[in-house]
Amino acid sequence: LNEELGQIQYIFSDKTGTLTQNIMTFNKCSINGKEYGDIMDDKTGEPIDLEYKRKVDFSKNKYYEPSFTFYDVSLLNEVNRGNELCDMFFRILALCHTVMPDYSNDGKLEYQAQSPDENALVSAARNFGFVFKERTSSTITIETPTGVEVHELLCILDFNNVRKRMSVILRYKDTIQLYCKGADNVIYERLKPGQDAIMEATQDHLQKFAGEGLRTLVLGVKTLTLAEFQDWKAEHHKAAVSLDNREENLDRVYNIIEKDLRLVGATAIEDKLQDGVSQTIANLETAGIKMWVLTGDKMETAINIGYSCNLLSTDLVDEPYIIDGRTYQEVESQLINHRRSIESHLATLKSTKNVSAPTSAAAHNTRTFSEADILQQEAGMGGAAANNTVSERSLDFALVINGHALAHALEPQLEDMFMGVAEHCSAVICCRVTPLQKALVVELVKRVKNVVTLAIGDGANDVSMIKAADIGVGISGQEGRQAVLASDYSIAQFRYLERLLLVHGRWSYYRMCKFLRYFFYKNFAFTLCHFWYAFSCGFSAQTVLDPAFISVYNLFYTSQPVLFMAYFDQDVNERNSLRFPKLYHPGMVSSFFSIKGFFRSALHGFVTSLILFAIPLGAYHNKTDGLGKVLSDHYLFGSVVATILVLVVTAQIALDTQYWTVWNHVTIWGSVIIYFVLTFAYNWIIGGQYIGSLTTVMQDQTFWFVVLLTTVVCILPVVAYRFYKIDVRPNLTDRARLVQRSDRKIKKSESGLPRPFSGRRSRRSVRSGYAFSHAEGFGRLITSGRIINQESNISGKSWANGISRMKNGQGSRSKKSSAFDGSDRPLAGGTGSLKDRLRLPRPKSHSVGDALIRDIGGRQSTAYHRQQAANHAPLTVQTSTSH
């Protein structure tokens, strides 16, 4: 699992709480077609920067919150004048929710909400004078500018990710009203005809809010007659107590009454981006990782947030490709047009590069750095493959698709066409998607592209996506711990993903590949000695080595050096791993270990075994010592071969080790010492078959000459090849390591380090983003009466504990429990659920390190300039069985 972190090619991310802070603030609103929140300049008619405006004073309201900020005093004036539409707007905010009030010991009113959205809306109503004060299982008490109102709670039609809305039915005095809030596209489908003017004005405001990256909700109201409600209540009761298809029946009943709504207005909530998101996404894209954001945003919001967080940039060849068709034919036509556009751009670039490309790329060493060599090494391959790679990376495309179009694009007939467009895009944004669609998108990419994928999210609606990906990362945020519990890794903020992949993931993959290559090499070298000896013993199954040596070769003599290399080895330190994100590329194409790498290790072991068998055989054939005693017996020869084998493979692991620690020294040189100690102890103390053999050969000068000769013959070609490769054909890692060595000798003030990359490249307004999604509501819990008492005020501690259990998947009632238990208590709405993205300014200094930085290629990572504290953020590995 750890090494797969170094092979990620696709990242699928939620937005709210993952890219953003999930800390909501009421920012703007639209009431009866009039916008509030912006301060307009009387002369220019343009909005004034709010930072230079005075905040609205809410201190006359004894329940106001000092932290609440709003700048448009006209809205408060309308409320104070008793504007009926403004009163209705804030009354809906104060009543249509599942928030619970909690009074602290000093009498301060606080709210416990299932999502930050609801908390922000109820707090906004509170500061404007509509204070939600108390809830029981059958009543909701609010305080308005005209006095205290106690509303009888008749039913809660709760929120889920399919409905994308919630409603409450309340009776106040003799009037029964349904208050509803939800996503704009959902509410607009249920509005009463004849509201074209206010609908058009509100839609314009929604488009403006979304373009600024704000989260939007639409509010509606409907007045019900007593007979109409009673008839509907009977249908609701039947659906609530049905044993089969209860959730589907409840949704059908909800749709009956949630229609012919009167549009009241819309809200706009700001959710700021987390720190370091833009830089992290830019560096991950520089590394070659493709980023997909799967969110419930409006399309305009999604595009704006894409520019804000560097997912979309001004370097795109064209504006992001939009797929928003509502029918199969429209989606198919858009996919075909986008694919033709991409192919046209690629053909144009390819013809341009063929004309301007150099005819040859001669070999140059690390002191010349020719441009042709840079292009070839940067792509990590040669010939046509390199040209194709350069062409792909020279063009950036982006795709934005909404939920309606995605439903068609995921059909078997269109999924290949969809992937044909998406695979050319460095960034894809899927907006207005459900949790099931998130999982289906991840599974489609895994199946079609056969790549290693990573999904990251923070809420319960991300669990299906996290489980569908190869690696799941959960962010412990404001929406509970469901995502964390379902994931393989847990981090606190999105920016730590950069270090998790570019440092820890890359190191893990690099170490495992070195471990495997060396493991195969040393065992081929060991095993094939018996194969060569078989030609000398007539294939009699006689082994050349001591049986005891065979038993402990992989246990004592050669195991510890390779294990500690796999624990600690680093080709490039963490600073340069973050500084040069393109070093991550070899893991994406599995260049450190593949079938070719396996056969290379096997061939190396094959040649080594032949050398360390043939040289001792020639030296000890008919060998006698100075006294004429024969030294060519089987035991002596086996001891010589075994000793040389241990020394050669130990010298090889010392040559392979890039990062030396005390433990590496202890295990590598200690393995040689242990070999001699155990061999003498076994033969002399226990009485092995090879007793005295090693002692005898060590007394002869031939032994030491053969050991030295064989070791040099085995190791010298490896050293020569690696020197040639590093000096003549260096790869990105070799260049980075030379930069690393150069940095140790040159002071930072003399190193000519390039200017930091600016993460903000957007040409649009940099604001926060929105996704209409939160966990399934607490309607059943509220109306069940199990936590709150109908006769008394609610207990804040018990409710907080209930919320904690619900967020952690330990709710007191099962998913399929009845929403109606036969009593006269109000009905609670049942809810349904689905299955669940270097060009560097040339410094004046001309040090070797400067030249290498220019040659490594790719945009230099902004993480190099980040505070060390952020670089050393803790990572927690979750022991999960989700995969």
Side-chain angles (χ1 to χ4, degrees), residues 512-523:
M512 180 57 66
C513 292
K514 289 192 69 173
F515 172 85
L516 292 175
R517 292 199 305 266
Y518 177 77
F519 190 84
F520 285 120
Y521 157 75
K522 74 182 183 69
N523 280 284

Side-chain angles (χ1 to χ4, degrees), residues 566-633:
Y567 292 155
F568 301 119
D569 203 34
Q570 305 172 13
D571 57 344
V572 177
N573 61 25
E574 66 177 84
R575 174 173 169 266
N576 285 302
S577 295
L578 293 171
R579 188 181 178 187
F580 305 114
K582 281 197 173 182
L583 294 173
Y584 189 83
H585 179 72
M588 299 171 60
V589 296
S590 300
S591 64
F592 285 165
F593 187 79
S594 59
I595 296 178
K596 181 179 180 180
F598 166 77
F599 283 109
R600 187 183 294 115
S601 298
L603 179 61
H604 187 192
F606 176 88
V607 174
T608 299
S609 66
L610 180 60
I611 294 174
L612 62 86
F613 176 82
I615 293 180
L617 180 64
Y620 282 89
H621 181 66
N622 294 329
K623 169 66 177 174
T624 60
D625 62 5
L627 301 176
K629 297 179 181 180
V630 177
L631 298 178
S632 60
D633 64 278

Side-chain angles (χ1 to χ4, degrees), residues 278 281-282 285 303-320 395-399 426-427 429 757-764 837 859:
S278 298
I281 291 178
E285 288 185 343
I303 294 176
N304 179 272
I305 296 304
Y307 281 102
S308 300
C309 67
N310 255 357
L311 186 64
L312 306 178
S313 73
T314 56
D315 294 337
L316 294 175
V317 176
D318 203 347
E319 288 294 318
L395 292 179
D396 283 338
F397 304 100
L399 175 66
S426 57
I429 300 177
F757 164 69
S758 175
R760 178 170 177 172
R761 302 162 60 196
S762 173
R763 60 190 174 192
R764 303 196 178 197
R837 144 224 332 165
R859 185 187 297 113

Side-chain angles (χ1 to χ4, degrees), residues 37-42 44-53:
D38 276 332
I39 307 297
M40 310 303 293
D41 192 318
D42 296 334
T44 64
E46 295 293 329
I48 301 175
D49 192 341
L50 298 180
E51 294 182 2
Y52 304 101
K53 295 298 295 182

Side-chain angles (χ1 to χ4, degrees), residues 647-750:
L647 293 176
V648 168
V649 297
T650 303
Q652 183 65 49
I653 193 67
L655 192 62
D656 289 343
T657 302
Q658 304 284 357
Y659 184 77
W660 286 83
T661 65
V662 173
W663 294 106
N664 294 103
H665 285 285
V666 170
T667 54
I668 290 176
W669 316 126
S671 294
V672 177
I673 297 173
I674 287 175
Y675 165 73
F676 287 102
V677 171
L678 290 182
T679 300
F680 286 122
Y682 172 73
N683 288 312
W684 288 101
I685 299 176
I686 299 178
Q689 296 179 357
Y690 284 64
I691 184 171
S693 299
L694 185 58
T695 305
T696 303
V697 296
M698 291 177 65
Q699 295 174 357
D700 187 72
Q701 296 178 351
T702 303
F703 169 77
W704 302 105
F705 177 76
V706 171
V707 169
L708 179 61
L709 177 62
T710 307
T711 304
V712 170
V713 171
C714 290
I715 298 300
L716 188 59
V718 178
V719 175
Y721 171 75
R722 294 185 180 181
F723 177 80
Y724 166 81
K725 186 174 179 294
I726 293 173
D727 188 63
V728 179
R729 300 184 61 85
N731 56 27
L732 300 182
T733 304
D734 297 330
R735 299 173 190 271
R737 291 183 62 220
L738 192 52
V739 172
Q740 184 171 302
R741 290 196 296 268
S742 177
D743 286 347
R744 295 173 184 170
K745 303 176 182 179
I746 303 175
K747 295 180 181 180
K748 289 185 178 180
S749 60
E750 300 173 356

Side-chain angles (χ1 to χ4, degrees), residues 406-626:
L406 186 61
H408 296 294
L410 293 176
E411 294 181 6
Q413 299 87 344
L414 286 182
E415 62 180 18
D416 289 338
M417 191 179 299
F418 169 63
M419 285 303 303
V421 175
E423 67 182 356
H424 292 284
C425 299
S426 57
V428 177
I429 300 177
C430 301
C431 53
R432 292 298 194 197
V433 295
T434 65
L436 178 59
Q437 286 180 318
K438 292 182 179 182
L440 293 177
V441 168
V442 175
E443 292 173 352
L444 173 63
V445 173
K446 286 175 58 179
R447 184 177 70 253
V448 175
K449 300 298 295 180
N450 192 28
V451 293
V452 181
T453 59
L454 180 147
I456 179 171
D458 73 314
N461 58 339
D462 302 317
V463 170
S464 56
M465 173 181 68
I466 289 174
K467 289 186 174 182
D470 295 298
I471 294 179
V473 177
I475 293 182
S476 52
Q478 304 288 332
E479 298 189 13
R481 294 182 57 83
Q482 293 95 327
V484 171
L485 295 175
S487 64
D488 305 299
Y489 299 90
S490 173
I491 58 179
Q493 295 184 29
F494 181 83
R495 61 193 175 108
Y496 300 145
L497 182 65
E498 177 186 13
R499 181 177 173 85
L500 179 64
L501 298 184
L502 301 187
V503 178
H504 296 287
R506 182 181 172 277
W507 280 352
S508 296
Y509 170 73
Y510 167 77
R511 291 164 179 168
M512 180 57 66
C513 292
K514 289 192 69 173
F515 172 85
L516 292 175
R517 292 199 305 266
Y518 177 77
F519 190 84
F520 285 120
Y521 157 75
K522 74 182 183 69
N523 280 284
F524 271 102
F526 162 65
T527 305
L528 290 178
C529 288
H530 302 288
F531 174 75
W532 305 121
Y533 184 69
F535 290 94
S536 300
C537 68
F539 297 92
S540 64
Q542 172 68 45
T543 59
V544 65
L545 304 175
D546 184 2
F549 176 88
I550 297 174
S551 300
V552 299
Y553 172 77
N554 279 313
L555 182 61
F556 294 135
Y557 299 156
T558 61
S559 62
Q560 298 307 306
V562 68
L563 285 178
F564 279 89
M565 181 186 71
Y567 292 155
F568 301 119
D569 203 34
Q570 305 172 13
D571 57 344
V572 177
N573 61 25
E574 66 177 84
R575 174 173 169 266
N576 285 302
S577 295
L578 293 171
R579 188 181 178 187
F580 305 114
K582 281 197 173 182
L583 294 173
Y584 189 83
H585 179 72
M588 299 171 60
V589 296
S590 300
S591 64
F592 285 165
F593 187 79
S594 59
I595 296 178
K596 181 179 180 180
F598 166 77
F599 283 109
R600 187 183 294 115
S601 298
L603 179 61
H604 187 192
F606 176 88
V607 174
T608 299
S609 66
L610 180 60
I611 294 174
L612 62 86
F613 176 82
I615 293 180
L617 180 64
Y620 282 89
H621 181 66
N622 294 329
K623 169 66 177 174
T624 60
D625 62 5

